[in-house]
Amino acid sequence: MKSLYDELAEKLKQDPRLTRHSLARADLGLLLFNAGDALRELWAAADAELTDARAQGRSPSPRLEAAVNALRPIFGERSTTSAH
């Protein structure tokens, strides 16, 4: 079973000529915007899990670590020089 996100992302991949004004792109943007708070909380929980694993001497999941690091520029703490 595909998720709503997977369906919309697949539509965008099927036709690379789609512009940023495409319906699938707009739907995907709204979906992610509406889930923003939950995504931020999920990222924070995953980041805390990595910190806890390291503090306990465990190796964190490489998959979880890669995902957290990929999203760090969006959800992680910003330096004072990068703030506008």
Short mmCIF file of all heavy atoms in Angstrom, two decimals, residues 7 9 15 22 24 33 51-52 61-62 64 74 80 84:
data_model
loop_
_atom_site.label_atom_id
_atom_site.label_comp_id
_atom_site.label_asym_id
_atom_site.label_seq_id
_atom_site.Cartn_x
_atom_site.Cartn_y
_atom_site.Cartn_z
N GLU A 7 2.29 8.50 -3.42
CA GLU A 7 1.49 8.69 -4.64
C GLU A 7 1.80 10.03 -5.31
O GLU A 7 1.98 10.11 -6.52
CB GLU A 7 0.00 8.60 -4.33
CG GLU A 7 -0.47 7.20 -4.05
CD GLU A 7 -1.95 7.16 -3.73
OE1 GLU A 7 -2.69 8.11 -4.08
OE2 GLU A 7 -2.39 6.16 -3.13
N ALA A 9 4.47 12.00 -4.85
CA ALA A 9 5.86 12.04 -5.29
C ALA A 9 6.04 11.25 -6.59
O ALA A 9 6.79 11.67 -7.48
CB ALA A 9 6.78 11.50 -4.20
N ASP A 15 6.40 12.55 -14.76
CA ASP A 15 6.48 13.54 -15.82
C ASP A 15 7.43 14.65 -15.39
O ASP A 15 7.03 15.59 -14.70
CB ASP A 15 5.11 14.12 -16.13
CG ASP A 15 5.11 15.02 -17.35
OD1 ASP A 15 6.19 15.31 -17.89
OD2 ASP A 15 4.02 15.45 -17.76
N SER A 22 2.21 22.62 -10.97
CA SER A 22 1.43 21.41 -11.17
C SER A 22 0.57 21.11 -9.95
O SER A 22 0.89 21.48 -8.82
CB SER A 22 2.34 20.22 -11.45
OG SER A 22 3.00 19.83 -10.28
N ALA A 24 0.00 18.13 -8.60
CA ALA A 24 0.68 17.19 -7.70
C ALA A 24 1.67 17.93 -6.81
O ALA A 24 1.78 17.65 -5.62
CB ALA A 24 1.39 16.09 -8.49
N PHE A 33 3.13 20.99 4.35
CA PHE A 33 2.90 22.18 5.17
C PHE A 33 1.96 21.85 6.33
O PHE A 33 2.23 22.21 7.48
CB PHE A 33 2.31 23.31 4.33
CG PHE A 33 1.97 24.52 5.14
CD1 PHE A 33 2.97 25.40 5.54
CD2 PHE A 33 0.66 24.78 5.53
CE1 PHE A 33 2.66 26.52 6.31
CE2 PHE A 33 0.36 25.89 6.29
CZ PHE A 33 1.35 26.77 6.68
N THR A 51 20.88 11.00 20.27
CA THR A 51 21.64 11.51 21.41
C THR A 51 21.62 10.51 22.55
O THR A 51 22.67 10.22 23.16
CB THR A 51 21.07 12.87 21.87
OG1 THR A 51 21.16 13.78 20.77
CG2 THR A 51 21.83 13.43 23.05
N ASP A 52 20.45 9.95 22.84
CA ASP A 52 20.33 8.96 23.92
C ASP A 52 21.15 7.71 23.61
O ASP A 52 21.82 7.16 24.50
CB ASP A 52 18.87 8.57 24.15
CG ASP A 52 18.03 9.67 24.77
OD1 ASP A 52 18.63 10.67 25.26
OD2 ASP A 52 16.80 9.55 24.75
N SER A 61 20.92 3.77 14.88
CA SER A 61 20.56 3.22 13.58
C SER A 61 21.14 4.10 12.47
O SER A 61 20.90 5.31 12.45
CB SER A 61 19.03 3.18 13.44
OG SER A 61 18.63 3.13 12.10
N PRO A 62 21.90 3.52 11.55
CA PRO A 62 22.46 4.33 10.46
C PRO A 62 21.37 4.99 9.61
O PRO A 62 21.53 6.12 9.16
CB PRO A 62 23.25 3.32 9.62
CG PRO A 62 23.54 2.19 10.54
CD PRO A 62 22.38 2.14 11.50
N LEU A 64 18.34 5.92 10.64
CA LEU A 64 17.77 7.04 11.40
C LEU A 64 18.74 8.21 11.44
O LEU A 64 18.35 9.37 11.25
CB LEU A 64 17.44 6.58 12.83
CG LEU A 64 16.78 7.60 13.73
CD1 LEU A 64 15.42 8.01 13.17
CD2 LEU A 64 16.63 7.04 15.14
N ILE A 74 16.81 21.85 8.05
CA ILE A 74 15.44 22.37 8.12
C ILE A 74 14.97 22.48 9.57
O ILE A 74 14.41 23.50 9.98
CB ILE A 74 14.48 21.47 7.33
CG1 ILE A 74 14.87 21.46 5.86
CG2 ILE A 74 13.02 21.92 7.50
CD1 ILE A 74 14.16 20.41 5.03
N THR A 80 23.49 31.78 14.79
CA THR A 80 23.04 33.17 14.80
C THR A 80 23.44 33.91 13.53
O THR A 80 22.81 34.88 13.15
CB THR A 80 23.60 33.92 16.02
OG1 THR A 80 25.02 33.81 16.02
CG2 THR A 80 23.03 33.35 17.30
N HIS A 84 17.93 35.35 9.64
CA HIS A 84 17.65 36.61 8.93
C HIS A 84 16.88 37.54 9.81
O HIS A 84 15.99 37.38 10.42
CB HIS A 84 16.87 36.35 7.66
CG HIS A 84 17.67 35.62 6.62
ND1 HIS A 84 18.78 34.86 6.86
CD2 HIS A 84 17.50 35.52 5.31
CE1 HIS A 84 19.25 34.35 5.75
NE2 HIS A 84 18.46 34.72 4.80
#
